[in-house]
């Protein structure tokens, strides 16, 4: 959850720095992000509930295990479908955030090879955060300094 919070704050913080004609549609990012976080949260809660409520009964009562086991098989295709959608939504969130960062930096349209480094740094978060976060801080501070010089003096 912390990882997705970082992606959200990174994309939402840098998005205003991109020129209006270059901005990506935020609704697609928001839908993908909300689906991903909701799916992951519900999956963990469901697995926790199954582990705490159903599996101990299976060890005790053989009759209960015969009625519950077919239910597992019925949900597997549904879980697989949602999981595939979640993977695409996660990759889209990485793409959107990486492209937004590079467009804010370059101030022009960019191709995948321009922001591939940012994309993979987001994907491999444990290493990428050490490179991306200082870059994001510098971008944001540069924008603050630029916007402060545009203000009239008192």
């Amino acid at each position: 959850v912390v990882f997705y919070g970082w992606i959200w704050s990174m994309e939402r913080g840098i998005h205003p720095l991109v020129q209006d004609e270059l901005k990506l549609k935020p609704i697609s990012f928001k839908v993908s992000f909300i689906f991903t976080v909701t799916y992951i949260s519900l999956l963990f809660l469901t697995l926790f509930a199954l582990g705490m409520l159903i599996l101990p009964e299976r060890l005790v009562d053989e009759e209960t295990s015969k009625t519950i086991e077919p239910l597992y098989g019925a949900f597997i295709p549904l879980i697989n479908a949602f999981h595939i959608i979640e993977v695409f939504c996660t990759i889209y969130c990485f793409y959107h955030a990486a492209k937004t960062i590079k467009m804010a930096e370059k101030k022009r349209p960019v191709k995948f090879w321009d922001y591939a480094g940012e994309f993979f740094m987001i994907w491999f978060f444990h290493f990428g955060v050490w490179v991306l976060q200082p870059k994001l801080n510098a971008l944001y501070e540069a924008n603050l300094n630029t916007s402060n010089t545009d203000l009239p003096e008192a």
Side-chain angles (χ1 to χ4, degrees):
V1 175
V2 172
F3 171 63
Y4 288 102
W6 180 66
I7 291 175
W8 177 267
S9 63
M10 172 178 46
E11 198 282 334
R12 296 285 69 199
I14 297 298
H15 190 77
L17 306 181
V18 179
Q19 298 168 348
D20 289 338
E21 63 271 5
L22 298 177
K23 286 185 180 180
L24 298 170
K25 294 179 183 177
I27 189 73
S28 54
F29 173 77
K30 290 176 183 177
V31 168
S32 295
F33 183 84
I34 290 169
F35 180 84
T36 299
V37 171
T38 304
Y39 173 76
I40 290 173
S41 300
L42 289 175
L43 182 67
F44 280 117
L45 288 173
T46 303
L47 291 175
F48 179 75
L50 286 174
M52 295 303 289
L53 301 174
I54 295 173
L55 293 180
E57 287 182 18
R58 181 178 176 192
L59 298 173
V60 175
D61 187 8
E62 196 171 308
E63 197 63 36
T64 305
S65 73
K66 288 180 182 177
T67 58
I68 291 176
E69 282 182 12
L71 292 176
Y72 290 138
F75 285 113
I76 288 175
L78 183 66
I79 291 171
N80 286 341
F82 278 123
H83 192 71
I84 289 169
I85 294 168
E86 186 274 332
V87 168
F88 283 116
C89 287
T90 298
I91 291 171
Y92 181 78
C93 288
F94 295 172
Y95 150 80
H96 191 94
K99 191 168 184 175
T100 301
I101 292 167
K102 193 51 87 169
M103 285 191 302
E105 187 180 327
K106 299 275 186 183
K107 307 277 190 225
R108 63 173 173 82
V110 292
K111 295 183 181 180
F112 179 75
W113 298 114
D114 295 330
Y115 61 89
E118 284 80 2
F119 179 83
F120 288 109
M121 282 189 266
I122 293 170
W123 195 332
F124 301 107
F125 165 73
H126 298 292
F127 303 108
V129 69
W130 297 103
V131 177
L132 278 179
Q133 195 59 51
K135 183 190 285 191
L136 296 172
N137 292 344
L139 256 172
Y140 193 75
E141 286 180 21
N143 186 58
L144 281 178
N145 292 338
T146 307
S147 61
N148 286 343
T149 58
D150 293 341
L151 296 174
E153 292 187 29

